[in-house]
Amino acid sequence: MKEISIRQITEPDFSEGFAIREIEGMLSEKDLVQDLHRHDFFFVLFLEKGTGEHRIDFTNYPVDNYAVFFMRPGQVHELILKKGSKGYLMQFNRDFYTPKEEPVNFVLRKVSHKNYCPLSVDRFGRILAQLAFISEEYIGKREH
């Protein structure tokens, strides 16, 4: 059996343990194809518009509009996102997310066992507005 690689973020943008990117920029007019691998960081994919395939821990999930995928470090996945997909990819390491307050910590533990979450247009729209703000702040901070 082929060994499953573990991906790490080595980009300078990840120096503080957090990165957010618009999916359109990652696709650049072609499909994104990632073979089976693991991460050593949290991976959250927010798809406003999407088609493709996503397999997490050998379970297939639908890739469609208004979907959120959440993955913990060490989970195995492979991803195909077709060109034209839109949304955000957020990545962060354990050091970035170390809440001191128990209720906050509980929220992440609760959602981290659910890899796929389809949302209504309204609920996704509220999240999308926040993601756009986070992305703007992140880009602004990198440029300074």
Side-chain angles (χ1 to χ4, degrees), residues 25-119:
M26 296 169 56
L27 297 177
S28 62
E29 295 304 313
K30 62 182 180 177
D31 297 346
L32 172 73
V33 178
Q34 295 183 339
D35 293 327
L36 197 62
H37 65 281
R38 301 175 196 269
H39 298 159
D40 69 349
F41 51 86
F42 292 93
F43 175 102
V44 189
L45 179 64
F46 301 90
L47 287 176
E48 177 183 12
K49 175 183 171 189
T51 56
E53 301 172 29
H54 201 181
R55 193 162 65 138
I56 303 171
D57 289 339
F58 307 103
T59 300
N60 292 322
Y61 293 95
V63 174
D64 47 18
N65 300 343
Y66 316 116
V68 178
F69 294 92
F70 185 90
M71 292 178 36
R72 298 173 311 282
Q75 286 188 281
V76 177
H77 86 124
E78 58 187 327
L79 174 64
I80 299 171
L81 276 180
K82 298 293 185 180
K83 69 180 179 179
S85 295
K86 288 180 60 176
Y88 290 92
L89 171 61
M90 188 182 321
Q91 302 163 304
F92 54 95
N93 63 24
R94 291 181 201 275
D95 293 335
F96 178 80
Y97 183 81
T98 52
K100 304 293 185 251
E101 300 172 28
E102 187 58 33
V104 175
N105 192 14
F106 179 74
V107 169
L108 185 60
R109 272 190 282 148
K110 186 176 178 181
V111 300
S112 71
H113 294 289
K114 188 171 186 177
N115 296 116
Y116 168 69
C117 184
L119 298 174

Side-chain angles (χ1 to χ4, degrees), residues 126-142:
R126 288 193 295 269
I127 291 172
L128 190 62
Q130 295 300 314
L131 290 168
F133 178 72
I134 292 167
S135 179
E136 183 179 306
E137 288 291 315
Y138 178 74
I139 290 168
K141 186 175 181 181
R142 279 190 353 207

